């Protein structure tokens, strides 16, 4: 009997070993690249633009400090935000006789700062100044007026005067590099626009005329819609009416329910559709290609895993791999993919009462880096030349100094499905499961010594929310708690190795990976 039990035990062990071996082999990936086999210049559409909540928040010292850090480590080129013309920016009023009075002192402070850190504004023209508005309907805690102008000629005059001001302050050559986008999500009614589609097109036409009067070379576009809407209609309108259109802009989010959830109370579910995000982008690109203006630039001026500022997926380590997977899938279809947003200093539903609340930001209110932040800081470490690479969840690149970078990840959507909200699922402790071995092989390396830095984001690695969870989610963080979380999630290499490459020029390494890990190998030539 004892012998039989022992035999059974051995058989079970052998079966399990075999199954484990099969499973890990099934999951094994090979990323094989050659230093000399290039794929051209690296497409950096991922860092062309980043979002921010509203213009007035950009006057805060902590907002500016966080943007300067993000620029330094992620190198976004443009920044886009709502509310440039809203009353808290003190842009427009009328005297007793109804004559317009313009004031750009607050905009100057904001734009001077943006330019000082070598960024540029992606100018969103909205919302309606109260003195120019035809109605009282507003959106958000800060009450952005979403009604058409009471006088379209005065709207055009405001836009022309503002554009002229930009020209005089910053110079023609600078402003030629900017983008002027008319309004935000006018297809959400009620929501961001109380007018019709025809009234939006009228708003667009008057704004475009105001901009082009100052300089025909300035770039204007739209329709800045939610859910990739109105793209063919916008092009048709502009072609038929001879209205300027230099680019298309629109938005997409990776959840299944609705488009506007200001307070995050309706509940969201991360889409299981593999073509979520990239499906919209590719559709928009095809709509442009099949139109009368087939070469228009395409800018996705908002995108994220979820459209609500109360979605814990934004704080989760799952977000890092999600961002990279979606950007990789988009490929060359968009000229820019502007992640919404860089910071949780974001007050659409009002000032937030806890340090982690599912905010859109790459950084939380205290400037703690979330896992999502590292997707962009790692991307920014890639060299300017892409290497040929058949693996669909990685980038490989090199720079002029002879350094090589391999950025790879596993994206596994572990969300249990439509019956469970993100708001319930992503606030839990969610350990990641093993996904086998990734075999890294880099051929054609120059002979010599390298420092290999290995960076990682994943479950409890650069996972600030896990630390917050371990502190029992305090409603307020002390100075020491903030310091502790920042220090533990600073994005430093998890490992540094000295590597000597011989005349064969080959480097090989097997690396264990878990679900939703993001890993960067950075070979620095000595």
């Amino acid at each position: 009997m004892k012998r039989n039990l022992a035999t059974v035990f051995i058989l079970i062990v052998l079966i399990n070993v075999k199954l484990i071996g099969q499973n890990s082999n099934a999951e094994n990936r090979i990323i094989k690249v050659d230093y000399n086999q290039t794929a051209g210049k690296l497409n950096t559409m991922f860092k062309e633009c980043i979002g921010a909540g509203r213009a007035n928040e950009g006057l805060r010292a902590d907002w500016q400090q966080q943007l300067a850090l993000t620029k330094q480590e992620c190198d976004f080129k443009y920044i886009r935000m709502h509310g440039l013309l809203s009353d808290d920016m003190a842009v427009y009023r009328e005297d007793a006789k109804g004559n317009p009075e313009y004031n750009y002192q607050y905009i100057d402070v904001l734009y001077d700062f943006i330019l000082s850190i070598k960024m540029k504004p992606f100018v969103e023209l909205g919302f309606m100044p109260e003195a120019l508005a035809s109605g009282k309907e507003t959106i958000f805690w800060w009450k952005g007026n979403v009604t058409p102008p009471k006088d379209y000629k005065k709207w055009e005059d405001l836009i022309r005067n503002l554009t002229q001001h930009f020209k005089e302050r910053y110079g023609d050559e600078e402003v030629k590099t900017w983008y002027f986008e008319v309004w935000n999500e006018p297809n959400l009614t009620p929501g961001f626009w109380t007018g019709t589609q025809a009234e939006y097109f009228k708003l667009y036409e008057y704004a475009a005329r105001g901009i082009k009067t100052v300089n025909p070379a300035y770039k204007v576009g739209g329709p800045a819609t939610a859910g990739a809407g109105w793209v063919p209609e916008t092009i048709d309108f502009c072609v038929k009416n001879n209205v300027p259109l230099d680019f298309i802009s629109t938005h997409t989010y990776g959840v299944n329910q609705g488009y506007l959830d200001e307070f995050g109370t309706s509940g969201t579910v991360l889409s299981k559709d593999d073509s979520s995000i990239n499906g919209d982008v590719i559709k928009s690109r095809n709509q442009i290609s099949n139109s009368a203006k087939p070469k228009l630039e395409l800018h996705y001026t908002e995108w994220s895993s979820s459209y609500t500022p109360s979605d814990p997926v934004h704080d989760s380590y799952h977000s890092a791999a999600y961002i990279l997977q979606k950007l990789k899938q988009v490929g060359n279809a968009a000229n820019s993919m502007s992640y919404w947003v860089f910071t949780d200093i974001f007050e659409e539903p009002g000032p937030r009462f806890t340090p982690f609340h599912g905010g859109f930001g790459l950084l939380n209110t205290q400037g703690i880096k979330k896992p999502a932040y590292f997707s962009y800081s790692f991307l920014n470490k890639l060299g300017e030349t892409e290497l040929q690479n058949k693996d669909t969840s990685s980038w490989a690149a090199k720079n002029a100094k002879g350094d090589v970078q391999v950025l790879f990840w596993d994206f596994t959507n572990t969300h249990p499905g439509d019956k469970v909200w993100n708001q319930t699922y992503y606030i839990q402790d969610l350990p990641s499961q093993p996904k086998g071995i990734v075999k890294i092989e880099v051929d054609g390396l120059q002979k010599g010594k390298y420092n290999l830095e290995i960076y990682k984001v994943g479950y409890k690695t650069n996972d600030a929310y896990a630390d917050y969870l371990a502190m029992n989610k305090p409603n307020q963080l002390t100075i020491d708690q903030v310091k502790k979380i920042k220090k533990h999630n600073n994005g430093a290499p998890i490992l540094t190795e000295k590597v000597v490459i011989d005349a064969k020029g080959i480097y090989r390494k097997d690396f264990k990976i878990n679900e939703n890990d993001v890993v960067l190998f950075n070979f620095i030539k000595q």
Side-chain angles (χ1 to χ4, degrees):
M1 186 70 184
K2 284 181 182 177
R3 194 175 68 180
N4 287 347
L5 276 173
T7 305
V8 169
F9 177 75
I10 289 166
L11 281 170
I12 289 169
V13 168
L14 286 172
I15 289 165
N16 281 341
V17 166
K18 191 176 181 186
L19 285 173
I20 290 165
Q22 283 177 340
N23 183 53
S24 62
N25 287 334
E27 295 290 352
N28 277 355
R29 282 166 61 189
I30 299 171
I31 300 175
K32 184 173 181 176
V33 296
D34 190 311
Y35 182 87
N36 299 305
Q37 300 292 316
T38 63
K41 188 179 178 185
L42 181 72
N43 181 354
T44 56
M45 60 83 183
F46 52 82
K47 61 180 180 182
E48 283 301 304
C49 192
I50 187 72
R54 83 184 196 274
N56 188 267
E57 290 155 2
L59 303 177
R60 287 176 51 162
D62 52 354
W63 186 101
Q64 294 190 1
Q65 289 157 6
Q66 288 191 23
L67 185 63
L69 173 69
T70 306
K71 170 62 180 177
Q72 181 187 336
E73 296 186 349
C74 305
D75 198 28
F76 294 109
K77 304 292 190 291
Y78 291 83
I79 185 164
R80 172 189 177 268
M81 64 204 73
H82 301 327
L84 190 72
L85 306 179
S86 292
D87 280 8
D88 59 5
M89 291 299 284
V91 170
Y92 181 92
R93 68 183 182 190
E94 294 180 359
D95 66 16
K97 295 179 180 177
N99 298 311
E101 294 180 353
Y102 307 118
N103 167 45
Y104 305 126
Q105 294 179 91
Y106 282 17
I107 293 180
D108 290 348
V109 170
L110 175 62
Y111 277 20
D112 287 358
F113 170 74
I114 289 168
L115 291 161
S116 79
I117 60 167
K118 304 293 190 284
M119 291 186 77
K120 296 174 183 287
F122 200 113
V123 185
E124 180 199 305
L125 297 171
F127 293 110
M128 197 60 62
E130 289 287 339
L132 190 51
S134 60
K136 296 291 185 187
E137 290 87 349
T138 64
I139 193 167
F140 303 140
W141 170 78
W142 45 269
K143 300 193 183 311
N145 188 293
V146 293
T147 68
K150 65 183 183 185
D151 183 324
Y152 280 85
K153 181 67 172 67
K154 284 183 174 179
W155 164 254
E156 179 185 337
D157 290 345
L158 167 60
I159 302 307
R160 183 176 62 250
N161 190 280
L162 175 63
T163 308
Q164 181 66 34
H165 174 76
F166 289 149
K167 175 178 178 167
E168 290 168 2
R169 189 172 184 86
Y170 303 116
D172 250 343
E173 293 311 304
E174 174 61 35
V175 183
K176 273 185 199 173
T177 66
W178 298 6
Y179 292 85
F180 290 85
E181 180 187 45
V182 182
W183 213 252
N184 178 71
E185 300 191 348
N187 59 332
L188 294 190
T189 306
F192 287 104
W193 181 243
T194 62
T196 61
Q197 184 186 74
E199 285 173 309
Y200 169 73
F201 288 152
K202 186 176 180 181
L203 183 88
Y204 176 87
E205 180 177 359
Y206 277 76
R209 190 186 300 151
I211 292 160
K212 294 289 188 176
T213 302
V214 178
N215 190 327
Y218 292 174
K219 290 177 280 204
V220 63
T225 37
W230 293 7
V231 173
E233 296 93 328
T234 300
I235 297 170
D236 288 348
F237 170 81
C238 290
V239 170
K240 286 173 184 170
N241 296 282
N242 198 27
V243 174
L245 180 66
D246 298 304
F247 64 90
I248 285 293
S249 65
T250 186
H251 306 158
T252 185
Y253 289 90
V255 285
N256 285 337
Q257 297 171 218
Y259 286 120
L260 178 61
D261 183 20
E262 185 180 341
F263 300 103
T265 53
S266 66
T268 41
V269 175
L270 189 69
S271 175
K272 289 282 191 183
D273 184 355
D274 186 56
S275 65
S276 137
I277 305 294
N278 58 296
D280 273 350
V281 182
I282 291 163
K283 180 183 84 170
S284 299
R285 175 53 73 194
N286 289 338
Q287 287 173 335
I288 293 168
S289 298
N290 295 324
S291 78
K293 288 181 169 284
K295 294 187 177 175
L296 285 175
E297 289 184 17
L298 173 61
H299 296 275
Y300 262 73
T301 52
E302 289 182 28
W303 86 276
S304 174
S305 51
S306 172
Y307 55 76
T308 165
S310 298
D311 195 327
V313 71
H314 294 135
D315 298 337
S316 170
Y317 73 89
H318 294 79
S319 259
Y322 178 89
I323 288 167
L324 294 171
Q325 185 76 1
K326 293 304 164 187
L327 289 171
K328 182 75 176 182
Q329 287 176 330
V330 165
N332 298 324
N335 294 80
S336 71
M337 293 289 293
S338 182
Y339 190 79
W340 189 253
V341 293
F342 87 91
T343 176
D344 280 354
I345 299 169
F346 181 96
E347 297 177 340
E348 286 182 0
R352 309 321 301 273
F353 271 53
T354 56
F356 288 93
H357 49 265
F360 286 116
L362 299 174
L363 297 154
N364 87 333
T365 310
Q366 289 78 26
I368 294 168
K369 297 170 183 176
K370 301 184 194 179
Y373 181 92
F374 297 107
S375 298
Y376 286 103
S377 66
F378 290 0
L379 279 167
N380 192 44
K381 291 181 187 292
L382 295 176
E384 62 274 9
T385 303
E386 188 172 1
L387 301 180
Q388 291 179 23
N389 173 21
K390 292 178 180 175
D391 184 80
T392 55
S393 295
S394 60
W395 268 286
K398 67 178 180 180
N399 63 25
K401 300 177 199 165
D403 304 340
V404 175
Q405 306 82 30
V406 182
L407 174 60
F408 60 97
W409 60 90
D410 170 80
F411 174 62
T412 303
N413 189 339
T414 64
H415 193 288
D418 290 350
K419 291 181 181 175
V420 180
W421 286 2
N422 289 358
Q423 284 77 0
T424 306
Y425 182 66
Y426 289 108
I427 59 170
Q428 306 170 85
D429 179 48
L430 297 169
S432 59
Q433 301 304 310
K435 286 297 291 276
I437 304 258
V438 180
K439 293 180 176 291
I440 305 292
E441 183 174 323
V442 185
D443 295 355
L445 284 167
Q446 298 173 42
K447 184 181 176 183
K449 294 178 180 177
Y450 293 79
N451 281 346
L452 170 59
E453 298 174 336
I454 299 177
Y455 299 83
K456 183 181 169 186
V457 180
Y459 175 63
K460 293 194 174 177
T461 304
N462 287 305
D463 179 9
Y465 185 76
D467 289 352
Y468 179 64
L469 205 57
M471 292 174 179
N472 295 318
K473 301 200 287 186
N475 282 343
Q476 308 290 304
L477 290 172
T478 65
I479 292 171
D480 284 344
Q481 284 173 325
V482 171
K483 282 180 181 173
K484 185 178 178 183
I485 298 176
K486 283 185 175 181
K487 186 177 180 183
H488 193 228
N489 302 281
N490 63 3
I494 59 161
L495 190 64
T496 305
E497 295 179 4
K498 296 207 177 295
V499 173
V500 178
I501 300 296
D502 63 20
K504 291 179 182 175
I506 298 172
Y507 173 87
R508 290 192 182 95
K509 189 177 183 74
D510 290 356
F511 195 89
K512 287 182 182 176
I513 196 169
N514 275 20
E515 292 170 341
N516 297 296
D517 278 355
V518 173
V519 182
L520 172 66
F521 279 30
N522 187 20
F523 298 86
I524 302 169
K525 185 89 165 62
Q526 298 305 293

